[in-house]
Amino acid sequence: MNDINDMATALRDHILAAPRAGRRRLVALAGPPASGKSTLSSSLSDQLIAAGCKTQVVPMDGFHLDNRILTARGLLPRKGAPETFDIDGFKRLVDALPHSETAYFPLFDRDRDIAIAGAGHVSAGCDTVVIEGNYLLFDAPGWRDLHRCWDYSIRLDVPPDVLEKRLVERWLAHGLTLDQARARAADNDLRNANCVAQSSLKADITVTM
């Protein structure tokens, strides 16, 4: 955890020095599944708040399409791939955040495997939003339009073997057997990680985890 806190401290200073396009600063924290986005975004938010900058974290995961839609489209086994997100809804939120007084957003309940509408709230007094997600720097139609929205962008780079270990541990914690966890990681999560690695736009800074 000390390493994460040290990393967040260094990133904090870069973020505070970065110019902003709107009233509210938008920071993108992008990386593959299990790269440490949630842990780092939480620490980074704490560091910014301690520096007097009111900050909130907005996870992209709330924009997962519902399982019923994914099942009807044959996409449920690929949940987490770019085509399984509500990219248009996510872009509407990102476009609104720099200037809107308040903003509501969905949150993903991993245990129940559903997104809950309006469960998150960016308050009027929020100065900086840290948005974390897999595809914030993804160079593909629709997704690449997000690049212009970031006042500062961070990309996490994690070796594939470390990702695989973390992903297997994640699925074991959700009750899968070892064989099931390995298959879930290989057949979906690592495919998504490779997708991010092969088609990523330039970030302001790349951090090796």
Side-chain angles (χ1 to χ4, degrees):
M1 182 61 72
N2 287 336
D3 290 342
I4 289 291
N5 287 335
D6 290 344
M7 190 179 300
T9 300
L11 290 170
R12 175 200 66 194
D13 295 337
H14 287 288
I15 290 167
L16 292 175
R20 67 177 76 190
R23 181 178 66 85
R24 188 180 284 125
R25 180 190 290 116
L26 297 190
V27 178
L29 179 57
S35 58
K37 297 184 299 295
S38 297
T39 302
L40 181 56
S41 63
S42 177
S43 181
L44 184 54
S45 176
D46 291 343
Q47 293 280 359
L48 287 165
I49 291 170
C53 176
K54 188 169 183 181
T55 304
Q56 291 180 244
V57 176
V58 173
M60 194 192 82
D61 278 357
F63 290 87
H64 277 294
L65 291 173
D66 188 82
N67 286 353
R68 290 166 294 185
I69 293 175
L70 297 179
T71 298
R73 297 179 181 180
L75 289 172
L76 188 59
R78 292 288 290 126
K79 188 169 185 174
E83 61 270 25
T84 67
F85 285 91
D86 175 14
I87 176 61
D88 291 331
F90 181 60
K91 285 195 290 188
R92 284 193 291 271
L93 173 67
V94 171
D95 285 338
L97 281 173
H99 306 289
S100 296
E101 281 292 307
T102 59
Y104 298 90
F105 58 92
L107 289 173
F108 188 65
D109 185 326
R110 191 174 293 277
D111 290 333
R112 296 164 64 192
D113 200 28
I114 59 171
I116 303 173
H121 173 224
V122 176
S123 67
C126 176
D127 176 87
T128 296
V129 177
V130 178
I131 303 176
E132 59 103 342
N134 295 351
Y135 304 111
L136 305 184
L137 296 172
F138 188 40
D139 189 9
W143 294 99
R144 66 170 63 99
D145 298 338
L146 294 167
H147 194 257
R148 60 175 173 77
C149 301
W150 313 133
D151 295 306
Y152 194 79
S153 57
I154 305 160
R155 185 173 74 87
L156 301 186
D157 185 19
V158 182
D161 59 326
V162 175
L163 283 181
E164 183 175 13
K165 180 175 183 294
R166 291 179 183 176
L167 288 164
V168 169
E169 289 173 350
R170 172 185 288 180
W171 291 119
L172 287 174
H174 279 79
L176 273 63
T177 67
L178 181 58
D179 286 344
Q180 289 171 332
R182 285 173 172 165
R184 185 71 175 263
D187 295 342
N188 190 35
D189 297 317
L190 290 173
R191 286 175 63 185
N192 295 334
N194 289 335
C195 182
V196 171
Q198 292 170 9
S199 300
S200 182
L201 295 165
K202 184 176 175 58
D204 289 299
I205 190 168
T206 297
V207 176
T208 301
M209 299 290 282

Coordinates of all heavy atoms in Angstrom, one line a residue, residues 13 98 133 209:
D13 N 0.6 15.7 -7.7 CA 1.2 17.0 -8.1 C 1.1 17.3 -9.6 O 1.0 18.4 -10.0 CB 2.7 16.9 -7.7 CG 2.9 16.8 -6.1 OD1 1.9 17.2 -5.4 OD2 3.9 16.3 -5.7
P98 N -17.7 18.4 -16.8 CA -16.9 19.6 -16.6 C -17.7 20.9 -16.2 O -17.1 21.8 -15.6 CB -16.2 19.8 -18.0 CG -16.2 18.5 -18.7 CD -17.5 17.9 -18.2
G133 N -11.4 3.3 -15.7 CA -12.0 2.3 -16.6 C -11.1 1.7 -17.6 O -10.0 2.2 -17.8
M209 N 2.8 -0.8 -12.9 CA 2.3 -1.3 -11.6 C 3.1 -2.6 -11.2 O 3.3 -3.4 -12.0 CB 0.8 -1.6 -11.6 CG 0.0 -0.4 -11.9 SD 0.0 0.8 -10.6 CE -1.2 0.0 -9.5

